[in-house]
């Protein structure tokens, strides 16, 4: 999503060369998952480890020596010859942009702090850069090839002094390339060199950063996926995958059929007969077939259930999203042998699940999985700004998303490497990948974007990109759909090309023409809308069934800014920037967005000052921001959950914009760069509880939402309203509630429109909602701070990114809350490995009637720095005098060198204190 128009340019490429090369890419092999690679090398003095490729094996290049071509006078033949001296070159990891390497070796400063990124000269990246790596072979008895994607933006490729591909052929970050280098390699050391062309997302089908963050000065030029060196026998296997069919007439329990497909290719100059064996782990299925091929012939091999009855599974182990069932995975192992010797093999996991997404009566796309309804509770995913891959960091973020109750992540471009999709499969998070908006990808169709118009070479690159990503992603059960358009749908020719490529790949899930509300000739209505908002609106906004309110499927929506915790702010901004943050509410903020629409926090800050009172200090500003973000994010997810079962215009999905940021940001994030968690995150986590009680801002109803599979009965709901002085204004208990499963709701009560508040007609008051089960255990607690004066929206003045507020609710009464006293005890238990659990029992010991509002717990070290990441069962809770709660944190074991682990407790009206956990 972007609204930054720039002048158009014309791309000049050798169309004929691109056409010849990229048509072949439509049959490129599927990606093979590789082991996690180190993010970056040690520094400029170290040399990349040489990749050793065993007989019949596959190995990724382990790193590169890199340098600007402006500093290398030697020829490409010399640079790509074994033994060439790279003294003075920089060292890069196996997946690295130029800037990522230069930051790692200290050439350039950390671009994530303050405005240090502006100190990095863009002229350093105006010329192509060499990426040079060596690999060794024990012999030349087998065929050898280079297999890769992830080049930004394009590259000339050389092996042992000879050019094997041009930048016209190796163009686009997603296109996959298999280059046969058998005749060029030798026993011993071999060299591959890439001359990487500069990137410009306006001109190339790569990726950019739109209005998400300040773009990196190198525009991410480099190689960001593994370059694999493959060795095979005379017959090779390609495009191996499993097509699954599931009977959903009885949701979750129907039989399934499997079809195994692969292309078998004879790479030799003589006829050959290969025995192809397909084994599926967990089933006992082993199938064999002999395939006779002429020299250089390719044939598609199909193991189908009509010929192999064992491919019909009566009780398949299904893959489910987290919270709906287990994440069962099978494994496909395909082997080709020639004359009794292994020639090639392929191994990868797959899952059995059925995804459908028909349009409902209101035209909204409504997903089901394995026959069961699914409300999409999603958020937008961002890659790292420098495209550094870190498997542990990605897994931490996926776990945080699941912990916040999300079930889906949307990838608008920036389609991550194989390990990301493996993690999603394993943890049960659904994915919505697709192409990004507003740059070259929408150059043909987006009049407000920055992308240039396509030429014939671009069309081939786009089609090859779609074919490669479809083949790479199709067997991942976590992939829910592919969005072939974002803000705009592709034009008719491009849509046809994309759909043909997807169909050829046996794409198994719904294809969505755009994330916006469009209809195309081939795909029909998108069933989605992209109404925003992208900047501040009040919590009540989400309950109106108009604009971005809770109806249909909203693919991008949130109230915009997200101020991180004070700990993170101090790691992100300079002291002067921290002062500007709260003292100059209309000032441009470098860490918000490069967009002129979003480069300040004015709308957010105006609302904060009107509703909560002008900030008195940085700490006060951050505290008020956490309250505001908590109530707003919670309302967004709660409104969509409540309206999901409406008989007219129900909500079917939302994608919070966004889950995370690729750098240190004040913009569009539920979690910050360091995975610290503030009001936005805990608002989402509260709203998305499996069994949840909630208040509705529009009609004041109290509803119970049950996301568990089974119905729950014998529930008791209690609603109590309080003045800010602690006076009870209303109290009602409703017993014997029952609510169905899979997102069903029941209405427990309606709160009075007028409460007898003690401090005036426009006063602030508090609502405490509790839900207990049939045994009297509290299963959900939810506390709201409300105003008798509503926020008033001017819908007639709505623009593409927000709806103005003309009258603000009055929450300034929170400033008069008396100080609360809390006490706590804590205990930390170390587990095997490096994991620990800290359990905190916290109690409000105040003598009066004042609650401890939004009480936050942080694990910190001896310097009071947060221990991250941490997953709490609950946090930022509100307790009345005499009430207590037990909160549990799962985390990595603290490093003793950082000092004793402590629990920092603070809150809106609770002074900060620290306690030291005991040990068993």
């Amino acid at each position: 999503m972007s609204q930054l128009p720039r002048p158009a340019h014309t791309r000049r490429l050798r169309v004929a060369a691109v056409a010849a090369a990229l048509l072949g890419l439509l049959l490129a092999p599927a990606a093979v998952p590789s082991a996690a690679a180190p993010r970056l090398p040690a520094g400029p003095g170290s040399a990349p480890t040489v990749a050793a490729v065993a007989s019949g094996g596959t190995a990724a290049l382990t790193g590169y020596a890199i340098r600007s071509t402006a500093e290398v006078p030697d020829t490409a033949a010399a640079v790509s010859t074994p033994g060439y001296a790279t003294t003075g070159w920089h060292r890069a990891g196996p997946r690295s942009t130029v800037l990522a390497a230069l930051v790692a070796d200290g050439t350039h400063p950390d671009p994530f702090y303050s405005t240090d990124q502006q100190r990095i000269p863009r002229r350093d990246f105006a010329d192509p850069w060499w990426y040079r790596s060596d690999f060794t072979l024990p012999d030349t008895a087998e065929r050898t090839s280079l297999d890769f994607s992830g080049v930004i933006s394009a590259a000339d490729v050389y092996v042992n002094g000879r050019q094997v591909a041009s930048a016209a052929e190796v163009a686009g970050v997603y296109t996959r390339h298999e280059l046969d280098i058998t005749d060029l390699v030798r026993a011993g050391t071999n060299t591959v060199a890439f001359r990487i062309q500069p990137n410009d997302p306006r001109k190339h089908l790569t990726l950019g950063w739109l209005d998400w963050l300040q773009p990196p000065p190198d525009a991410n030029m480099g190689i960001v996926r593994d370059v694999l060196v493959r060795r095979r026998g005379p017959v090779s296997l390609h495009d191996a995958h499993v097509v699954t069919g599931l009977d959903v007439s009885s949701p979750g329990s129907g039989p399934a059929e499997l079809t195994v497909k692969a292309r078998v290719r004879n790479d030799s100059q003589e006829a050959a007969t290969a025995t192809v064996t397909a084994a599926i782990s967990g089933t006992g299925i082993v199938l064999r077939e002999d395939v006779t091929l002429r020299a250089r012939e390719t044939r598609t091999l199909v193991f189908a259930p009509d010929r192999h009855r064992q491919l019909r599974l009566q009780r398949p182990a299904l893959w489910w999203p987290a919270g709906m069932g287990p994440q069962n995975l099978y494994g496909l192992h395909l082997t080709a042998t020639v004359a009794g010797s292994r020639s090639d093999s392929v191994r990868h996991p797959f899952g059995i699940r059925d995804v459908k997404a028909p349009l409902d009566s209101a035209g909204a796309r409504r997903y089901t999985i394995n026959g069961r309804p699914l409300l999409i509770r999603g958020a937008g995913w961002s890659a790292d700004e420098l495209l550094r891959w870190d498997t542990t960091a990605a897994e931490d973020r996926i776990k945080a998303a699941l912990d916040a109750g999300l079930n889906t992540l949307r990838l608008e471009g920036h389609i991550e490497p194989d390990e990301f999709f493996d993690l999603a499969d394993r943890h049960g998070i659904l994915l919505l990948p697709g192409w990004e908006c507003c740059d070259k990808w929408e150059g043909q169709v987006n009049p407000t974007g920055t992308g240039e118009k396509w030429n014939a070479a671009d069309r081939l690159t786009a089609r090859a990109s779609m074919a490669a990503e479809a083949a790479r992603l199709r067997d991942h059960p976590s992939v829910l759909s592919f969005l072939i358009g974002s803000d705009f749908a592709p034009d008719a020719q491009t849509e046809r090309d994309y759909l043909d490529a997807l169909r050829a790949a046996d794409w198994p899930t719904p294809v969505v023409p755009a994330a916006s509300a469009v209809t195309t000739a081939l795909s029909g209505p998108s069933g989605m809308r992209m109404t925003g908002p992208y900047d501040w609106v009040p919590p009540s906004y989400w309950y109106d069934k108009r604009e971005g309110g809770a109806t249909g499927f909203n693919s991008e929506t949130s109230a915009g800014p997200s101020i991180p915790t004070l700990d993170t702010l101090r790691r992100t901004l300079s002291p002067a920037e921290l002062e500007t943050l709260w003292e100059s509410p209309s000032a441009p903020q470098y860490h918000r967005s490069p967009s002129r629409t979003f480069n300040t926090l004015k709308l957010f800050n105006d609302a904060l000052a009107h509703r909560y009172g002008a900030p008195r200090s940085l700490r006060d500003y951050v505290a008020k921001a956490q309250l505001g973000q908590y109530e707003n994010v919670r309302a967004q997810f709660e409104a969509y959950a409540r309206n999901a079962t409406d008989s007219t215009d129900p909500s079917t999905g939302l994608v919070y914009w966004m889950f995370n940021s690729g750098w240190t940001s004040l913009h569009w994030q539920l979690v910050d760069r360091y995975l610290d968690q503030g009001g936005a995150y805990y608002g989402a986590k509260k709203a998305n509880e499996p069994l949840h009680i909630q208040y509705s801002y529009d009609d004041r109803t109290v509803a119970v939402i049950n996301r568990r599979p089974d119905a729950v009965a014998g529930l008791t709901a209690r609603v109590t309203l309080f003045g800010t002085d602690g006076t009870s204004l209303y109290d009602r208990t409703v017993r014997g509630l029952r609510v169905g499963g899979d997102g069903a709701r029941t209405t427990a009560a309606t709160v009075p429109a007028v409460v007898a508040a003690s401090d005036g007609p426009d006063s602030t008051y508090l609502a405490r909602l509790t839900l207990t089960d049939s045994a009297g255990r509290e299963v959900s607690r939810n506390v709201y701070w409300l105003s008798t004066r509503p926020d008033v929206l001017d819908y007639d003045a709505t623009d593409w990114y927000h709806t103005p507020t003309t009258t603000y609710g009055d929450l300034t009464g929170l400033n008069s809350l008396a100080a609360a006293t809390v006490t706590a005890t804590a205990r930390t238990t170390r587990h095997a490995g490096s994991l620990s659990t800290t359990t905190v029992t916290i109690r409000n010991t105040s003598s009066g009637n004042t609650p401890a509002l939004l009480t936050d717990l942080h694990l910190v070290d001896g310097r009071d720095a947060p221990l991250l990441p941490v997953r709490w069962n609950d946090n930022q809770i509100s307790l009345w005098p005499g009430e207590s709660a037990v909160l549990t944190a799962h985390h990595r074991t603290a490093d003793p060198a950082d000092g004793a682990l402590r629990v920092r407790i603070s809150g809106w009206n609770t002074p900060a204190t620290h306690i030291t956990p005991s040990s068993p």
Side-chain angles (χ1 to χ4, degrees):
M1 187 283 302
S2 180
Q3 298 286 330
L4 299 175
R6 295 183 183 176
H9 299 270
T10 302
R11 183 181 184 189
R12 298 177 177 86
L13 287 176
R14 287 175 287 169
V15 176
V18 174
L22 294 185
L23 279 174
L25 289 174
L26 298 179
L27 298 178
V32 175
S34 59
R39 288 181 57 179
L40 292 168
S46 63
T49 303
V50 178
V53 192
S55 176
T58 298
L61 298 180
T62 56
Y64 302 93
I66 70 171
R67 196 166 190 179
S68 171
T69 59
E71 300 173 340
V72 180
D74 301 308
T75 65
V79 170
S80 60
T81 296
Y84 177 82
T86 57
T87 304
W89 288 42
H90 303 275
R91 307 302 170 188
R95 310 175 189 179
S96 179
T97 65
V98 174
L99 183 55
L102 301 188
V103 169
D105 70 14
T107 300
H108 291 310
D110 174 12
F112 285 28
Y113 176 72
S114 186
T115 57
D116 281 359
Q117 183 165 265
Q118 294 179 322
R119 296 165 50 198
I120 302 173
R122 294 182 181 274
R123 64 178 177 273
D124 289 0
F125 315 105
D127 297 296
W129 276 66
W130 279 115
Y131 273 57
R132 186 187 184 282
S133 188
D134 292 333
F135 62 93
T136 63
L137 301 178
D139 54 55
T140 58
E142 297 175 300
R143 303 204 67 80
T144 305
S145 63
L146 292 177
D147 186 356
F148 61 92
S149 62
V151 173
I152 303 176
S153 68
D156 302 301
V157 186
Y158 298 82
V159 173
N160 292 346
R162 296 276 300 277
Q163 184 171 5
V164 294
S166 71
E169 298 164 315
V170 180
V173 63
Y174 300 111
T175 55
R176 191 161 198 89
H177 310 274
E178 184 187 16
L179 306 178
D180 190 331
I181 57 174
T182 302
D183 296 337
L184 300 178
V185 297
R186 63 193 72 170
T189 302
N190 297 266
T191 298
V192 58
F194 295 82
R195 185 162 55 200
I196 305 292
Q197 301 299 312
N199 183 41
D200 184 340
R202 300 172 302 168
K203 300 178 180 180
H204 309 304
L205 290 169
T206 53
L207 54 83
W209 292 98
L210 312 174
D211 43 10
W212 299 6
L213 50 75
Q214 301 290 349
D218 72 336
N220 295 126
M221 68 184 299
I223 302 176
V224 297
R225 293 182 181 173
D226 284 342
V227 175
L228 303 175
V229 182
R230 295 188 183 278
R231 302 192 73 203
R232 300 182 176 103
V235 174
S236 56
L237 298 168
H238 304 269
D239 204 34
H241 61 287
V242 181
V243 180
T244 63
L246 178 65
D247 182 350
V248 295
S249 57
S250 297
S253 62
E257 291 188 344
L258 310 181
T259 301
V260 179
K261 293 186 176 183
R263 285 185 294 110
V264 188
R265 188 175 76 199
N266 181 4
D267 294 315
S268 72
Q269 301 290 349
E270 300 176 350
T273 297
T275 300
V276 179
T277 303
I280 298 176
S281 65
T283 66
I285 296 173
V286 179
L287 309 171
R288 290 183 179 85
E289 188 164 328
D290 290 338
V291 183
T292 300
L293 300 163
R294 299 186 302 273
R296 301 293 184 181
E297 181 185 4
T298 299
R299 185 179 301 175
T300 298
L301 177 64
V302 179
F303 294 101
D306 58 348
R307 293 177 52 230
H308 303 277
R309 296 185 60 186
Q310 56 266 60
L311 291 173
R312 292 191 173 99
L313 306 182
Q314 292 305 310
R315 287 184 171 80
L318 301 184
W319 185 93
W320 292 95
M324 295 183 72
Q327 290 73 58
N328 296 304
L329 293 171
Y330 294 89
L332 171 66
H333 186 196
L334 209 62
T335 305
T337 58
V338 177
S341 298
R342 175 186 171 280
S343 183
D344 195 12
S345 67
V346 174
R347 187 190 300 266
H348 70 259
F350 69 95
I352 300 175
R353 55 87 176 92
D354 175 85
V355 176
K356 290 184 172 58
L359 303 184
D360 65 14
S361 59
R365 195 168 292 273
R366 181 181 287 275
Y367 281 89
T368 63
I369 189 157
N370 301 337
R372 285 171 53 188
L374 178 71
L375 172 67
I376 299 300
R377 305 186 306 277
W381 175 270
S382 176
D384 173 72
E385 184 198 27
L386 304 187
L387 302 186
R388 294 167 293 190
W389 174 255
D390 184 321
T391 300
T392 299
E395 185 169 26
D396 287 340
R397 281 163 172 76
I398 287 173
K399 287 180 178 178
L402 290 168
D403 191 54
L406 304 182
N407 58 22
T408 305
L409 295 169
R410 180 183 165 207
L411 286 70
E412 186 192 1
H414 307 81
I415 304 177
E416 295 279 32
D418 298 323
E419 293 95 330
F420 178 82
F421 293 88
D422 293 337
L423 289 170
D425 292 344
R426 184 151 48 89
H427 289 289
I429 190 90
L430 295 164
L431 302 174
L432 286 171
W435 307 128
E436 68 187 51
C437 85
C438 311
D439 54 18
K440 183 73 170 186
W441 286 100
E442 290 187 347
Q444 293 294 94
V445 293
N446 189 336
T448 63
T450 64
E452 295 180 356
K453 299 295 184 182
W454 290 10
N455 57 29
D458 296 320
R459 290 197 175 279
L460 290 172
T461 299
R463 183 181 171 95
S465 299
M466 185 72 264
E469 289 302 285
R472 188 171 75 97
L473 303 182
R474 63 191 162 195
D475 272 357
H476 287 283
S478 57
V479 177
L480 194 63
S481 277
F482 199 95
L483 278 68
I484 58 175
S486 181
D487 289 25
F488 289 80
D491 61 35
Q493 180 181 341
T494 306
E495 181 185 20
R496 187 177 300 108
D497 288 345
Y498 286 159
L499 294 177
D500 286 347
L502 287 158
R503 192 176 301 111
D506 293 321
W507 185 256
T509 60
V511 177
V512 181
S516 57
V518 298
T519 298
T520 63
L522 296 177
S523 302
S526 70
M528 294 186 178
R529 59 195 177 93
M530 188 186 286
T531 52
Y534 300 96
D535 214 322
W536 192 86
V537 291
S540 58
Y541 171 95
W542 302 108
Y543 286 86
D544 291 337
K545 289 190 175 183
R546 55 188 302 181
E547 305 301 339
T551 182
F553 194 118
N554 197 338
S555 68
E556 292 184 7
T557 185
S558 79
S562 184
I563 305 302
T565 64
L566 190 55
D567 296 300
T568 292
L569 284 171
R570 286 172 171 158
R571 298 174 69 176
T572 301
L573 304 179
S574 69
E577 289 169 319
L578 289 172
E579 291 303 304
T580 299
L581 184 65
W582 73 275
E583 290 183 338
S584 304
S586 300
Q589 296 289 341
Y590 184 70
H591 281 262
R592 187 164 183 215
S593 171
S595 163
R596 286 174 293 181
T597 303
F598 299 123
N599 69 348
T600 79
L601 295 165
K602 178 175 171 50
L603 292 175
F604 177 83
N605 287 341
D606 285 351
L608 210 64
H610 278 97
R611 301 175 87 243
Y612 289 97
R616 302 183 297 272
S617 65
L618 175 63
R619 185 176 295 276
D620 184 55
Y621 172 78
V622 175
K624 287 172 176 172
Q626 303 314 311
L627 282 171
Q629 289 159 189
Y630 187 107
E631 62 163 346
N632 214 317
V633 174
R634 175 179 58 182
Q636 177 177 349
F637 282 100
E638 287 182 339
Y640 274 81
R642 189 201 67 175
N643 290 358
T645 53
D646 283 0
S647 59
T648 58
D649 293 333
S651 55
T652 63
L654 78 156
V655 177
Y656 184 92
W657 210 244
M658 300 176 64
F659 175 68
N660 65 313
S661 177
W663 81 324
T664 44
S665 180
L666 309 173
H667 187 45
W668 291 345
Q669 57 187 0
L670 290 180
V671 294
D672 65 34
R673 172 67 190 175
Y674 304 106
L675 268 183
D676 204 355
Q677 300 158 342
Y681 180 86
Y682 287 118
K685 181 176 173 65
K686 177 57 63 177
N688 292 323
E689 290 176 320
L691 184 60
H692 179 63
I693 188 168
Q694 65 184 56
Y695 170 81
S696 303
Y697 281 81
D698 58 343
D699 60 10
R700 306 177 312 284
T701 55
V702 174
V704 177
I705 309 292
N706 180 22
R707 298 181 180 89
R708 297 170 178 171
D710 300 322
V712 182
L715 299 172
T716 298
R718 183 180 179 187
V719 183
T720 313
L721 305 183
F722 299 89
T724 53
D725 61 356
T727 303
S728 177
L729 308 174
Y730 174 83
D731 195 358
R732 184 182 177 193
T733 299
V734 181
R735 295 180 173 83
L737 292 171
R738 182 188 185 280
V739 58
D742 280 339
R745 82 160 192 257
T746 189
T747 300
T750 300
V751 177
V754 178
V755 293
S758 59
D759 50 353
D762 292 331
S763 62
T764 308
Y765 63 103
L766 301 170
R768 183 186 64 194
L769 280 57
T770 60
L771 186 70
T772 53
D773 64 15
S774 57
R777 294 181 295 257
E778 186 174 282
V779 292
S780 179
R781 159 181 289 257
N782 209 349
V783 174
Y784 296 78
W785 37 102
L786 303 167
S787 172
T788 56
R789 182 171 69 198
D791 296 286
V792 179
L793 290 149
D794 183 2
Y795 279 108
D796 291 339
T798 297
D799 53 31
W800 68 269
Y801 63 95
H802 90 304
T803 297
T805 302
T806 57
T807 302
Y808 295 93
D810 178 11
L811 299 173
T812 58
L814 296 179
N815 296 313
S816 65
L817 278 179
T821 303
V822 298
T823 60
T825 58
R827 185 180 183 88
T828 296
T829 303
R830 296 187 61 167
H831 306 295
S834 59
L835 301 179
S836 294
T837 299
T838 296
T839 302
V840 182
T841 301
I842 186 169
R843 178 180 297 274
N844 184 338
T845 55
S846 302
S847 58
N849 298 317
T850 303
L853 184 66
L854 214 68
T855 303
D856 177 88
L857 277 62
H858 261 72
L859 299 184
V860 297
D861 63 19
R863 299 163 298 168
D864 206 33
L867 177 67
L868 299 170
V870 175
R871 287 182 292 123
W872 290 93
N873 69 320
D874 199 0
N875 208 332
Q876 297 201 342
I877 62 171
S878 299
L879 297 173
W880 268 254
E883 292 183 330
S884 63
V886 178
L887 306 183
T888 302
H890 299 284
H891 55 93
R892 295 187 180 101
T893 301
D895 186 343
D898 293 329
L901 175 70
R902 297 182 297 165
V903 182
R904 184 176 68 204
I905 304 170
S906 60
W908 173 255
N909 59 326
T910 306
T913 59
H914 293 76
I915 62 170
T916 300
S918 63
S919 299

